[in-house]
Amino acid sequence: NAQRKLDDMGLGRYIVCHPWAAGFRKEMREWPEAHWRALTERLVAEGYRVVFTGGPSDREASSKLLSGLEGTGTTILDMAGQLSLSETAALISGAAGVVSVNTGVMHLAAALDVPLVALHGPTNPSRWGPLSERAVVLIPDADNVAYLNLGFEYPDDVAPCMQLLTVDEVSEALRGALTSAPEPTHSVEIAV
């Protein structure tokens, strides 16, 4: 049973982080590893456990991302490639909040009505953003961002934009999402 597996972890109050995009030019939609590390350190210092999710193909990258962070395996858990979709949904539904790049997990968190910080750069959040009142969408304050509407409009000279989202911005957005988000209007049960 997925819920029992998660309950056995004794997570307490935790934040789910999903740093991994998928598909063509996925690296353009990913936030820099150093930013994820800095955010994780802040969250742990604030008393949260941090759980990283990802698919089986993200396991190596996730392990690399978390290597060297103090608390890995106790306050920082790497679950990339270890959970089924239903287990991931159960994990997200019990989280205090979620920080994710624009990918399926972002939409899953929005559907589960969990406080969410959705990181966008090249993808246009008007088309690809989460549908949730509890979501905060972050996009860099710069020119030439959010140019992907249909998913193939890459300019010839593409400047990386995700690194323009600062750790301070994401941390502040998460703090706001956790404190000012309306309470969910329904409960979610995950059957596995």
Side-chain angles (χ1 to χ4, degrees), residues 21-42:
F24 181 68
R25 298 182 87 170
K26 67 181 186 170
E27 67 282 351
M28 295 181 66
R29 295 185 315 278
E30 293 178 350
W31 203 38
E33 288 183 13
H35 289 31
W36 283 109
R37 285 188 196 100
L39 178 65
T40 300
E41 289 170 348
R42 285 186 189 190

Side-chain angles (χ1 to χ4, degrees), residues 80-128:
Q82 299 181 44
L83 300 174
S84 67
L85 181 59
S86 61
E87 290 170 331
T88 300
L91 178 74
I92 289 170
S93 71
V98 175
V99 179
S100 179
V101 296
N102 182 8
T103 191
V105 165
M106 176 198 73
H107 294 292
L108 181 58
L112 292 170
D113 208 26
V114 174
L116 166 67
V117 176
L119 308 180
H120 288 264
T123 53
N124 187 328
S126 296
R127 181 172 193 92
W128 302 101

